[in-house]
């Protein structure tokens, strides 16, 4: 069930067309809208534990958004904290450039959406 939702989240995020100049707030708004348009419920800024807040949760799928290219080691440490939380079943990261992430962290699937690949010309 969670793998299906994770795939739906990745597909929804892959529909956005946010310019390289958009703010983090605009990026959050576009992703929230894409989730809704794809029939996915999501909560914004979810507190998972003390000092541990993820950008979105859609069911058991945690969604972390980075406006700039994240440093790999820091991102993995952050995702490890999230994956250690019971309510997180899998993780999706959206960032301008892809980062080589493990496929699993703490036994939970991880998927990366590279937003720069979405910045091309959109055809009808």
């Amino acid at each position: 069930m969670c793998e299906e939702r994770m795939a739906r989240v990745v597909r929804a995020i892959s529909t956005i067309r946010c310019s390289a100049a958009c703010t983090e707030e605009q990026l959050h708004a576009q992703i929230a809208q894409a989730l809704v348009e794809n029939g996915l419920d999501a909560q914004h800024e979810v507190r998972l534990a003390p000092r541990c807040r993820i950008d979105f949760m859609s069911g058991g799928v945690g969604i972390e958004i980075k406006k700039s290219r994240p440093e790999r080691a820091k991102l993995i440490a952050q995702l490890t904290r999230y994956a250690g939380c019971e309510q997180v079943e899998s993780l999706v990261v959206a960032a301008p450039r892809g980062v080589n992430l493990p496929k699993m962290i703490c036994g939970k699937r991880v998927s990366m959406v590279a937003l720069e690949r979405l910045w091309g010309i959109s055809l009808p």
Side-chain angles (χ1 to χ4, degrees):
M1 181 70 136
C2 188
E3 286 200 27
E4 178 185 328
R5 181 177 285 265
M6 183 180 186
R8 290 180 61 205
V9 166
V10 169
R11 281 193 304 272
I13 292 173
S14 295
T15 66
I16 69 164
R17 298 293 183 267
C18 186
S19 74
C22 77
T23 66
E24 186 163 344
E25 292 77 20
Q26 291 169 324
L27 186 54
H28 278 237
Q30 283 197 357
I31 288 176
Q33 181 178 351
L35 294 170
V36 168
E37 288 174 356
N38 284 274
L40 293 160
D41 62 316
Q43 294 76 45
H44 190 237
E45 298 291 338
V46 176
R47 183 181 171 151
L48 300 173
R51 301 184 65 215
C52 187
R53 184 182 316 264
I54 195 163
D55 293 323
F56 288 93
M57 285 294 297
S58 179
V61 180
I63 305 162
E64 182 62 21
I65 302 165
K66 298 296 184 188
K67 176 61 181 122
S68 58
R69 185 176 187 172
E71 184 182 319
R72 182 178 187 271
K74 287 183 180 179
L75 180 57
I76 290 173
Q78 183 179 22
L79 296 176
T80 300
R81 284 193 309 275
Y82 295 159
C85 298
E86 185 177 315
Q87 62 268 50
V88 175
E89 297 173 12
S90 62
L91 291 160
V92 174
V93 179
R97 291 190 179 175
V99 175
N100 185 18
L101 295 173
K103 299 288 184 203
M104 304 282 280
I105 296 178
C106 298
K108 298 177 183 181
R109 291 185 47 78
V110 177
S111 183
M112 179 83 212
V113 178
L115 298 172
E116 280 184 352
R117 291 187 292 161
L118 309 176
W119 292 343
I121 297 170
S122 179
L123 301 174

